[in-house]
Amino acid sequence: MTYWAEHAWLNPTSHSTSRLAARPGPGSEPSLGPGANSGPTDTTGTSDTTGAGATSTTGAPGPAASPAHGAPSGVAAGVVIEVVDGRVAAVRQSGQAGPPPGAVVLRGLTVPGLANAHSHAFHRALRGVAQVSPTPGTAVAPGTTGPAHAGPAHAAHATAGPGDGRAPDSFWTWREVMYEVAERLTPDSYHALARATYAEMALAGITCVGEFHYLHHAPGGARYQDPNAMGEALIAAAADAGLRITLLDTAYLSAGFGEPPTRPQLRFSDGTAAVWAERVSALKAPEHARIGAAIHSVRAVPADQLAAVAQWSSERAAPLHVHLSEQTAENAACLAAHGRTPARLLADHGALGPRTVAVHATHLTDEDITLLGGARTGVCMCPTTERDLADGIGPAAALQRAGSPLSLGSDSHAVIDLLEEARAMELDERLRTRARGHWTAAELLRAATSDGYAALGWEHAGRIEPGALADFTTLALDSVRTAGPPPALGVETAVFAASSADVRHTVVAGRHIVQDGAHTLLPDVPTALAQSIAAVLG
């Protein structure tokens, strides 16, 4: 298969050096991605490689791109991408005005496929629903609030009474709504919901998803005949939607420090890390999938069980993800129980390292940041969820300067738009610091592409170069959002102006999954979403 990209971002930095470099912080160390233990490091500081993407990655020089205003975007015009057996075989500039005969034309800006490093597929059913406080008796009525398993109880609905139209007042009230949805899912209904959600991701240019999966068992905790029925439903859903998936099978063993699981959490728990490991070891990964591990949080996995989960991951060289310090209540409860922060607790039990990714990492001490960066632990930021749940703004720039590579996720799917996640990370930092320019557009786009793939355990991916997985997406440069800037500023336009609505094509393993804005495997994604969500909400 041959594709012709009208314009393409060839991601000018190589795999070993493609890591975010935050603007401030002279003397900051370059960072390695999850799973990268050796290789050359980037000593260029915060500068990007201007124009490197304008030459053929096969070794033959092509005509240089002409970025306006000195933009370091690495955008080239008229790029031929040859695909063999799901991988890029060759990349070259065509040297002619139009596409070669027989090539599939990609009009707009083609970039590597976007990697959504943190997803909870069933949370898609909460979009809109969780923005109100439902009346008693409705399908998703929240229960009492407060982090019962994370520390001192919070006030229940301090600002929002039942049915008054306001959103639940905290993460903890939102969580009760989420539990109601989780209670209703079966393997079949979860497959339908996840398939539609992943299809929405494909429409948004996402080619690989990291599914943080903890909904393992039947209501009440009984095992299905196939103990991995729910996880296998997710793997099948990704295949049906045309995406790659890393199933991050999650250990979730307790309600809090020293507390047994609550009724809703019985679906999540295997009882012990050893039983969790036995179950997850039976999972098989087809070609489009990887199996990784996750520690839900330090409140949900007892300290004496953390090392077992980390060891399972280490033995298989698999990614290990963990929710970290998303809420201050979790930090306070951890300090009360163990006299140390969650990050320190993870470090003390061998759970940090270059294959580990901390999700959120919102409320960290300076020592926590040093611990994560020094261990080269990655961090996945989820700005649209963090703002939706009023979690706060995490120290992304400080983490990167300390040595943590950054990736991005849509998490609760309040929005599925990795361009918005990338943009939000920079804009949130601007609000926090009242300064602009913490990352370039190219650096932000790498967080959404190559660094996201690395966080999910996919090697040689997230780049348009020979040998890489043939996953890429094309964005319109002529929509009402993107029209105006020259194509040489396509990366800046994509990150700071475009949205998921501008995705025209999504290609995974060389196969067209989204063509001209339509999903080729699931033609009516809105109806699939509406029907699968209605089946869950009742």
Side-chain angles (χ1 to χ4, degrees), residues 431-520:
L431 285 174
R432 192 181 68 81
T433 63
R434 292 181 290 173
R436 302 175 81 231
H438 301 277
W439 295 278
T440 67
E443 289 163 346
L444 292 167
L445 192 54
R446 286 192 200 107
T449 56
S450 57
D451 291 338
Y453 268 98
L456 296 175
W458 291 87
E459 294 300 316
H460 211 49
R463 296 173 308 286
I464 301 176
E465 65 182 28
L469 298 176
D471 299 355
F472 37 90
T473 188
T474 303
L475 301 160
L477 293 179
D478 58 358
S479 75
V480 293
R481 290 164 295 277
T482 61
L489 292 176
V491 174
E492 289 73 18
T493 302
V495 172
F496 288 105
S499 78
S500 59
D502 295 309
V503 172
R504 292 293 173 265
H505 304 280
T506 303
V507 174
V508 180
R511 182 173 63 154
H512 233 130
I513 302 303
V514 173
Q515 189 165 17
D516 296 321
H519 201 289
T520 62

Side-chain angles (χ1 to χ4, degrees), residues 183-486:
E183 191 77 358
R184 292 167 171 263
L185 287 163
T186 67
D188 287 342
S189 64
Y190 202 6
H191 173 268
L193 176 58
R195 178 181 59 187
T197 301
Y198 295 155
E200 181 183 356
M201 290 185 194
L203 289 170
I206 293 166
T207 52
C208 184
V209 59
E211 184 61 37
F212 199 101
H213 166 56
Y214 55 82
L215 188 54
H216 303 306
H217 308 301
R223 290 199 167 202
Y224 291 106
Q225 184 174 2
D226 175 0
N228 286 306
M230 296 294 269
E232 288 166 354
L234 292 166
I235 292 172
D240 292 345
L243 265 61
R244 301 185 194 275
I245 185 172
T246 295
L247 187 74
L248 298 158
D249 195 287
T250 304
Y252 194 132
L253 308 176
S254 66
F257 301 98
E259 299 180 24
T262 63
R263 160 72 194 194
Q265 296 162 349
L266 291 173
R267 295 200 74 172
F268 313 157
S269 179
D270 287 298
T272 68
V275 176
W276 166 84
E278 180 181 9
R279 178 184 55 74
V280 70
S281 295
L283 275 166
K284 305 300 180 186
E287 187 176 1
H288 75 288
R290 298 279 188 273
I291 307 299
I295 293 166
H296 179 273
S297 56
V298 295
R299 67 178 187 268
V301 177
D304 63 359
Q305 305 284 298
L306 291 171
V309 181
Q311 182 179 356
W312 186 95
S313 169
S314 178
E315 289 173 350
R316 292 158 179 79
L320 173 65
H321 288 215
V322 55
H323 290 137
L324 178 65
S325 293
E326 182 179 3
Q327 297 292 323
T328 54
E330 175 186 285
N331 289 356
C334 188
L335 285 166
H338 297 290
R340 65 198 83 176
T341 65
R344 170 54 70 184
L345 189 66
L346 291 170
D348 290 348
H349 289 84
L352 299 184
R355 282 189 298 273
T356 299
V357 175
V359 182
H360 302 303
T362 308
H363 303 285
L364 301 179
T365 66
D366 290 344
E367 182 188 7
D368 292 339
I369 293 170
T370 300
L371 277 173
L372 294 173
R376 296 298 189 262
T377 295
V379 175
C380 179
M381 309 301 294
C382 306
T384 65
T385 290
E386 289 150 8
R387 71 191 184 197
D388 181 62
L389 297 181
D391 286 344
I393 299 172
L399 282 160
Q400 187 282 322
R401 288 196 298 271
S404 291
L406 303 179
S407 55
L408 298 165
S410 64
D411 193 2
S412 70
H413 312 312
V415 176
I416 293 180
D417 188 338
L418 262 287
L419 299 172
E420 173 62 20
E421 304 293 347
R423 176 164 56 244
M425 187 164 72
E426 165 69 22
L427 298 185
D428 284 355
E429 191 70 8
R430 292 182 186 184
L431 285 174
R432 192 181 68 81
T433 63
R434 292 181 290 173
R436 302 175 81 231
H438 301 277
W439 295 278
T440 67
E443 289 163 346
L444 292 167
L445 192 54
R446 286 192 200 107
T449 56
S450 57
D451 291 338
Y453 268 98
L456 296 175
W458 291 87
E459 294 300 316
H460 211 49
R463 296 173 308 286
I464 301 176
E465 65 182 28
L469 298 176
D471 299 355
F472 37 90
T473 188
T474 303
L475 301 160
L477 293 179
D478 58 358
S479 75
V480 293
R481 290 164 295 277
T482 61

Side-chain angles (χ1 to χ4, degrees), residues 71 86 127 131 135 154 221 227 235 366 405 451 490 525:
R127 187 184 296 175
Q131 299 302 332
T135 55
H154 286 192
I235 292 172
D366 290 344
D451 291 338
V525 177

